[in-house]
Amino acid sequence: KDIVGLGSTVAIKYIDDDDEDEYKIVGSQEADPFNNKISNESPIAAAILNKKVGETVEVTSPQGVYNVKIVSVQ
């Protein structure tokens, strides 16, 4: 199960600054950014949905465009 989907917990690495974060992708009703639960409609989740571990993906957000690499999917 190395493809990102709803309910997945995903570790991503921000390419520009080498930071890593882990998010659980949930429906918009369950979203809780303070507990790293992001909506499947958020810019990061929308960009990484249906992608595989190891892929680098471009994210377009209100703060600009940046790249993340999918490190793991659970």
Side-chain angles (χ1 to χ4, degrees):
K1 185 183 168 182
D2 60 350
I3 296 176
V4 179
L6 194 62
S8 296
T9 299
V10 185
I12 59 170
K13 181 177 186 177
Y14 295 89
I15 300 300
D16 295 338
D17 59 15
D18 253 9
D19 270 357
E20 279 195 28
D21 271 323
E22 190 172 87
Y23 298 108
K24 181 166 183 162
I25 300 175
V26 297
S28 56
Q29 299 292 322
E30 299 172 75
D32 183 358
F34 296 107
N35 287 310
N36 286 0
K37 292 182 180 180
I38 59 171
S39 165
N40 59 321
E41 298 169 8
S42 72
I44 291 177
I48 65 175
L49 276 172
N50 299 314
K51 300 291 192 276
K52 292 182 180 179
V53 170
E55 283 191 65
T56 299
V57 181
E58 186 175 271
V59 179
T60 303
S61 76
Q63 291 80 30
V65 176
Y66 56 93
N67 292 299
V68 298
K69 182 174 183 176
I70 302 168
V71 177
S72 69
V73 178
Q74 298 174 358

